[in-house]
Amino acid sequence: MARNLWRESRLLIVNHSLLASHFVLGGRFLPEFSHLVVDEAHRFPDTFHEAFISSASFSEMEALFHEVGRDGPDLTSLFEVFRSRLTAALTLARGEQRRLTAGLALSEARNLESAMEKCARLLAKSMEALQSQQELGFAGGEARMENSVEMMRVQARIERVNSVRSLVRGLLAGPAQGEVLWLTRVDRDGPLSDYRVQLAPLRPGELLQEKFFPQLRSVVFTSATLAARASDPFAYFARELGYSREAGPRVLQLDSPFAYRENSLLYLPGQMPDPSRQEDAFHRAAAGEIQRLLELTHGGAFVLFTSRRSLRAVQSLLGRSSGNYTLISQVAGDRLRLVILVRLPFRVPDEPLHAARMEEERAAGRDPFQSLQLPQAVISMKQGYGRLIRSVSDRGIVSILDPRLRTKGYGRDIMQTLPDSQRVYSFNDLTQAYKKLFN
């Protein structure tokens, strides 16, 4: 019923993940379409990229092999041997990640991959038989529906087996050119160590150019935070889409309808320790600033951290001193009066996929901080900033506690991209300006 409604519709609204899944499945999920508008487009290259990442934990592999091995090779036994051998070769702590740039050369992996290939052939034959029954129409009515459901189940198994095959093949031979392979220890309750294996294409732009754009006649990308620099503002986003500087998309930058200067204050406290060098001291100073900001606004605050560790550290320092104030909320109007960005949101440089992209930038003669890390941080900051002002009547304070915004050269580049709020550097001036704003 839902699919029939989809096919009859002239306008279909879906989220990014559903849209990406449509292209992962070769255009088989949504009705045929030629024109597309992507809102909140700053997120789309990452979402599309993530949809093409093959990922499975050892426990998920074991469940799959148990399911598909009933009528074929004994994948479960082969996997148990492979898992034991691989786990013995790994020494990762829980949550730790390791990028693999070469194969592990385990004979157990070769045996498992060979058996999976045989299993995939058997599943393909089952699918062919089901398709023949469907086409010849031997069954009618209810039986035909059951046949269709079974075809969907078999197709899902084929796709899962092929995905895991690519992971096992990667562990055996290493990632291919343009791929990144890594393991993460993700132990659950139980006696055996569990690992998640992930294999990702390196470049989101190449994926979009190959799998996405050729299927469409027109695409409009729109977002309040696509501009990552004051000069050449869309260069980063165009590269994420796979466009070169010479052959980029047509762009249009419009002024904001919001009166930031009149309705918002940007508070940049002085004398804050550098979090990259004095993390504990920064957390203590941040807790103090958060406390007095909460007292000024009587709560109504949205506090953004870049890591759980930082959040827990500041939370423990605040303790019960924050009283009944709302520390974290997402509301509109005067109920939300304060947004605090604790640190500049740079991605973790040793995260495997991000590290591989940084290596590629260096190999191409580019500075990965300027070409990758800084634009990503700017877009994230503008998203955080935008939590406060979402309508013409919204007002309040945005506070950025990280001193590198004022002490580092790149801080000026970031500041040029932020909304034109009234900037305040002392708490006394902030108190007066806040009272005037809400008078």
Side-chain angles (χ1 to χ4, degrees):
M1 179 66 73
R3 287 184 179 274
N4 289 335
L5 289 173
W6 287 3
R7 292 188 180 94
E8 293 170 4
S9 300
R10 299 185 65 185
L11 175 65
L12 192 61
I13 301 174
V14 300
N15 62 33
H16 288 188
S17 296
L18 197 63
L19 180 63
S21 296
H22 171 74
F23 288 93
V24 171
L25 296 172
R28 300 195 309 269
F29 190 68
L30 298 173
E32 185 177 346
F33 60 94
S34 301
H35 305 279
L36 179 66
V37 177
V38 181
D39 193 17
E40 297 292 321
H42 60 279
R43 299 175 181 169
F44 186 68
D46 281 345
T47 302
F48 193 84
H49 190 199
E50 289 164 6
F52 283 84
I53 296 177
S54 297
S55 175
S57 68
F58 286 176
S59 57
E60 290 167 352
M61 291 182 190
E62 185 176 35
L64 174 63
F65 295 152
H66 180 72
E67 177 185 344
V68 302
R70 294 167 185 163
D71 302 317
D74 184 7
L75 292 170
T76 303
S77 297
L78 288 169
F79 177 69
E80 287 176 356
V81 175
F82 164 73
R83 179 177 185 170
S84 175
R85 178 77 171 82
L86 182 58
T87 301
L90 297 170
T91 55
L92 300 183
R94 182 177 298 186
E96 187 179 353
Q97 296 180 317
R98 177 180 298 173
R99 180 179 161 204
L100 300 178
T101 56
L104 296 175
L106 299 176
S107 59
E108 294 83 359
R110 186 172 289 105
N111 295 338
L112 179 60
E113 203 277 331
S114 177
M116 290 179 68
E117 183 179 358
K118 182 178 179 181
C119 178
R121 289 198 300 268
L122 291 173
L123 286 169
K125 288 181 179 179
S126 297
M127 176 62 81
E128 289 172 5
L130 289 166
Q131 287 173 334
S132 296
Q133 291 177 21
Q134 196 81 347
E135 291 167 3
L136 293 172
F138 287 152
E142 187 176 334
R144 188 177 178 86
M145 178 63 72
E146 291 177 358
N147 192 69
S148 297
V149 171
E150 183 60 23
M151 285 175 62
M152 292 173 64
R153 288 198 189 103
V154 173
Q155 183 61 40
R157 287 173 185 164
I158 290 172
E159 289 169 0
R160 285 159 60 203
V161 167
N162 286 336
S163 177
V164 172
R165 275 182 69 195
S166 69
L167 296 174
V168 173
R169 193 181 299 120
L171 291 171
L172 176 64
Q177 182 72 25
E179 292 182 336
V180 184
L181 175 69
W182 71 98
L183 291 147
T184 308
R185 185 164 174 176
V186 289
D187 289 3
R188 304 288 190 267
D189 293 336
L192 294 174
S193 298
D194 198 6
Y195 291 84
R196 177 165 294 279
V197 188
Q198 291 174 276
L199 181 67
L202 177 59
R203 307 172 194 93
E206 284 189 0
L207 268 180
L208 287 158
Q209 291 294 327
E210 177 186 350
K211 307 282 188 181
F212 179 74
F213 289 111
Q215 315 305 319
L216 300 163
R217 292 178 61 187
S218 68
V219 187
V220 175
F221 293 101
T222 177
S223 172
T225 56
L226 289 183
R229 284 188 180 276
S231 60
D232 203 1
F234 301 110
Y236 169 74
F237 186 69
R239 281 189 59 212
E240 289 296 282
L241 296 179
Y243 287 102
S244 65
R245 184 181 294 273
E246 295 75 24
R250 287 183 292 176
V251 298
L252 175 65
Q253 187 171 15
L254 301 173
D255 292 334
S256 172
F258 304 139
Y260 285 100
R261 191 75 180 174
E262 291 76 22
N263 291 345
S264 63
L265 307 168
L266 175 59
Y267 172 52
L268 304 171
Q271 305 303 314
M272 293 290 290
D274 186 330
S276 65
R277 298 180 178 180
Q278 300 172 282
E279 189 174 50
D280 290 343
F282 173 77
H283 286 154
R284 289 192 295 271
E289 287 293 341
I290 291 170
Q291 176 63 40
R292 62 178 182 171
L293 283 165
L294 289 171
E295 290 172 354
L296 173 63
T297 63
H298 299 285
F302 189 43
V303 187
L304 284 166
F305 294 85
T306 57
S307 70
R308 289 188 179 89
R309 186 178 67 174
S310 182
L311 185 152
R312 293 189 187 106
V314 172
Q315 186 180 42
S316 66
L317 289 164
L318 284 171
R320 295 185 177 274
S321 62
S322 57
N324 295 319
Y325 299 140
T326 304
L327 278 179
I328 299 178
S329 62
Q330 188 171 355
V331 292
D334 285 351
R335 290 178 61 202
L336 180 63
R337 301 173 294 278
L338 171 65
V339 171
I340 302 174
L341 308 178
V342 178
R343 291 183 64 159
L344 299 182
F346 293 116
R347 290 189 182 179
V348 179
D350 56 358
E351 184 275 323
L353 184 54
H354 190 56
R357 293 197 65 191
M358 289 175 64
E359 288 175 10
E360 185 181 53
E361 291 297 292
R362 292 190 191 96
R366 292 186 289 264
D367 177 358
F369 181 80
Q370 292 291 334
S371 64
L372 202 61
Q373 290 178 286
L374 190 57
Q376 290 169 344
V378 165
I379 290 172
S380 294
M381 284 197 70
K382 291 172 74 174
Q383 280 293 303
Y385 207 111
R387 300 281 184 177
L388 180 69
I389 305 295
R390 296 189 170 215
S391 73
V392 294
S393 60
D394 288 342
R395 53 188 177 165
I397 301 169
V398 173
S399 179
I400 303 172
L401 304 184
D402 196 323
R404 291 174 293 179
L405 198 62
R406 294 183 295 105
T407 61
K408 300 294 184 181
Y410 59 77
R412 289 190 296 273
D413 296 332
I414 296 176
M415 290 288 283
Q416 289 176 352
T417 69
L418 297 180
D420 185 31
S421 302
Q422 180 183 340
R423 294 175 184 175
V424 186
Y425 299 94
S426 79
F427 193 79
N428 287 337
D429 290 344
L430 177 67
T431 301
Q432 297 304 313
Y434 179 79
K435 289 178 180 178
K436 185 182 299 183
L437 183 62
F438 280 89
N439 191 0

